[in-house]
Amino acid sequence: MYRQGDVLMVPIEEAALPEHVSGLPEEPRDARGRMVLALGEVTGHAHAVVGAGALRRETGAFGPALLHLPDGGRVVHEEHAAISLPKGWYRVVRQREYVPGSVRLVAD
Amino acid sequence: MKGELALDLEAAGGARGEVRYAGDGVRPAEVEEWRQVAAATGAADRAAAEAGVRLAYRLAGLAEPERVEWAGSPREATARVLASAQAELGASVRDVVRTRPWAAERAALHEGLGRAAWGERWGLTGGRLWDTTHALAERIRTGVVEALAETPQDEPAVRLALLDVVLGQHDAPWLAAFAGTGERLAGIAAVARSAGWWWPYEKVAIIAERPVELHRDEAGRLDRGDGPALAFPDGFALYAWRGMPVPATFLDGLSDLTPERIRKEENAELRRVMLEFYGYDRYLDESGAKPLHRDETGVLWRIDLENDEPVVMVEVVNSTPEPDGTCRTYWLRVPPRTRTAREGVAWTFGLGEEVYAPVRET
């Protein structure tokens, strides 16, 4: 697995993916043609992947998002060093923080 | 629109066959523009806003209002509505100007796209902006009620006046979802781009200025430690720290906090704000806290508090150095039962301690 700031990318075996995944719609890319894994609300800084592939939103055990990189790809961010990902499928998880009574997402 | 997406994908090196896109009919740049509208600050474009109001009346089949008035904030506008005689303003026309064209637009889209595609469209447009914008509007509503209702008995009247409002810039989530469709919302969209909340009545329309200050954290919550997190030109202001409303006077006391004062604060939420403001590192250092556990993922700390669950945090070092060469350290609160730093970091990603093992971190 790979971590860039508050985003974790966990490899998944293709055989372990649920059948309905191929039927999930793909997220559109941003204006720069990138797949956005997570976007900072205020700075607009994004954890984004450049390259061929698809990002699919998913709820449940495989969510919140599934990333497919048939040829591998690079995760970039304005404040973190880029990470190269080998080809395959990834579960994308955003870091959270414990708050008594609830759980909130981390503001990176 | 599909053509534009295809071009983007070619630019990104993606070759593909027939694929269904959730983004059909959605332009990310347009969603981004509406995000900026929702968060816009500074003086309204009064000419554009007034033209938008008049257009909205005409599109709804109404005569234009006799006059358009300006208010320095939603508070001032609401106060003016409360102080005005019904005969002076005329009846509220919100239903005709906003609700009906809105419902018609939504029904047309719903029918044209089908339920599933409409759901996807909302998820990619308005849904992206909804939580933070809705929370902000609700917070402003609460602030207006608190400011204008001197007793609990006054509250219903203030809330009634707020029922007549059209949210202007804070209608951005829905307008993002409607983007690129019919013209019947053109007036409403024009006001949203140019001004804040507005109250449409038969004879008079009252438009409020946008905020002059809006400070939020990366999660979109109101957040400022040295002044109002939201302020309007007439002085109406809201104070908050990481989304939690605080009294204005509370912030004044933050600059000379001591660990002793933090320990003595009885309100658990305010104490949490104090701790965050003071800095966990400073507090840990000055209160002589000892780390519970240390491993290659970070350090686990614990602060015991009276009449509250302990604060247990992992201290994590960012792997990418800052421009000055140092590595930023940050603290993440984890459940109090956490026993090791690795368990804490793994929890923040929803994983068990035994499976959390990044091969590369930046």
Side-chain angles (χ1 to χ4, degrees):
Chain A
M1 62 185 73
Y2 303 80
R3 184 172 75 93
Q4 187 183 58
D6 60 353
V7 173
L8 189 72
M9 289 139 285
V10 186
I12 303 178
E13 288 297 322
E14 190 157 359
L17 289 168
E19 264 184 35
H20 71 266
V21 164
S22 58
L24 289 174
E26 290 182 18
E27 290 269 302
R29 295 181 176 232
D30 72 359
R32 291 150 72 181
R34 310 178 306 175
M35 292 177 275
V36 176
L37 306 181
L39 180 69
E41 180 73 30
V42 174
T43 57
H45 290 172
H47 298 276
V49 179
V50 186
L55 182 67
R56 295 179 158 94
R57 293 287 153 185
E58 164 72 321
T59 50
F62 290 87
L66 284 167
L67 174 67
H68 183 212
L69 297 174
D71 309 318
R74 267 165 74 79
V75 192
V76 296
H77 187 274
E78 286 80 350
E79 294 170 346
H80 296 275
I83 289 187
S84 293
L85 294 179
K87 68 178 180 182
W89 284 84
Y90 298 86
R91 186 164 76 89
V92 181
V93 191
R94 188 112 190 235
Q95 196 163 34
R96 60 182 176 166
E97 185 175 11
Y98 176 79
V99 173
S102 70
V103 167
R104 73 183 181 199
L105 288 175
V106 166
D108 186 12
Chain B
M1 294 213 199
K2 182 131 188 181
E4 283 185 32
L5 273 172
L7 281 176
D8 282 349
L9 288 164
E10 276 173 27
R16 54 180 65 251
E18 267 308 301
V19 184
R20 189 167 65 94
Y21 291 102
D24 283 353
V26 171
R27 292 165 57 197
E30 200 159 356
V31 177
E32 188 49 39
E33 283 165 26
W34 283 111
R35 181 190 298 278
Q36 288 168 18
V37 164
T41 54
D45 179 340
R46 293 193 170 197
E50 291 183 19
V53 166
R54 294 182 187 283
L55 176 60
Y57 275 60
R58 290 200 304 275
L59 287 172
L62 296 175
E64 291 180 10
E66 291 165 16
R67 57 176 203 279
V68 177
E69 296 180 359
W70 283 86
S73 70
R75 178 186 64 181
E76 188 193 328
T78 308
R80 205 174 301 170
V81 169
L82 288 169
S84 303
Q86 162 101 42
E88 185 196 335
L89 300 176
S92 169
V93 291
R94 181 183 188 275
D95 191 49
V96 190
V97 169
R98 196 265 197 193
T99 310
R100 286 189 215 168
W102 201 264
E105 196 64 44
R106 189 176 163 180
L109 263 175
H110 200 280
E111 192 176 328
L113 292 170
R115 205 171 119 190
W118 162 250
E120 282 173 10
R121 184 184 182 122
W122 171 257
L124 291 167
T125 55
R128 298 260 156 110
L129 316 180
W130 176 254
D131 284 350
T132 49
T133 311
H134 178 68
L136 181 60
E138 279 306 299
R139 184 71 191 88
I140 294 171
R141 252 184 242 273
T142 308
V144 169
V145 172
E146 282 172 2
L148 296 180
E150 285 176 13
T151 68
Q153 289 76 37
D154 298 339
E155 286 185 14
V158 181
R159 289 186 200 283
L160 275 177
L162 282 168
L163 284 183
D164 294 341
V165 75
V166 182
L167 290 182
Q169 66 180 140
H170 297 145
D171 276 331
W174 278 102
L175 293 168
F178 291 147
T181 63
E183 280 300 296
R184 60 191 137 204
L185 297 176
I188 288 172
V191 187
R193 286 197 181 92
S194 329
W197 295 12
W198 55 291
W199 279 254
Y201 295 98
E202 268 175 315
K203 298 180 188 171
V204 182
I206 304 171
I207 317 177
E209 284 285 345
R210 292 186 289 217
V212 287
E213 302 268 4
L214 174 65
H215 303 268
R216 294 188 289 180
D217 65 9
E218 276 288 285
R221 303 166 301 187
L222 285 178
D223 176 44
R224 191 175 172 199
D226 59 354
L230 178 78
F232 287 87
D234 67 345
F236 176 54
L238 300 172
Y239 294 77
W241 175 262
R242 307 246 169 123
M244 203 186 98
V246 296
T249 49
F250 175 78
L251 291 179
D252 298 337
L254 287 181
S255 51
D256 51 0
L257 273 178
T258 61
E260 180 65 12
R261 239 196 87 207
I262 296 171
R263 262 195 302 277
K264 282 188 173 162
E265 172 58 51
E266 286 178 5
N267 181 316
E269 290 207 309
L270 291 182
R271 189 168 53 209
R272 196 178 307 149
V273 175
M274 289 175 165
L275 265 174
E276 287 193 0
F277 191 89
Y278 191 74
Y280 289 118
D281 49 344
R282 238 176 111 194
Y283 188 87
L284 291 166
D285 189 40
E286 292 180 17
S287 62
K290 295 272 189 294
L292 283 181
H293 183 260
R294 188 188 294 268
D295 59 31
E296 66 286 356
T297 67
V299 186
L300 188 72
W301 295 91
R302 174 190 175 106
I303 300 173
D304 285 304
L305 300 170
E306 274 176 49
N307 307 320
D308 198 1
E309 61 182 303
V311 178
V312 176
M313 291 171 296
V314 280
E315 177 188 341
V316 185
V317 179
N318 238 353
S319 305
T320 302
E322 300 291 306
D324 67 359
T326 61
C327 285
R328 190 165 73 99
T329 302
Y330 62 102
W331 281 264
L332 294 173
R333 191 163 177 183
V334 295
R337 62 173 184 276
T338 309
R339 292 290 166 262
T340 70
R342 174 179 296 278
E343 183 191 351
V345 175
W347 180 89
T348 65
F349 288 112
L351 295 177
E353 178 176 19
E354 66 292 349
V355 294
Y356 179 74
V359 293
R360 181 154 153 69
E361 298 179 81
T362 66

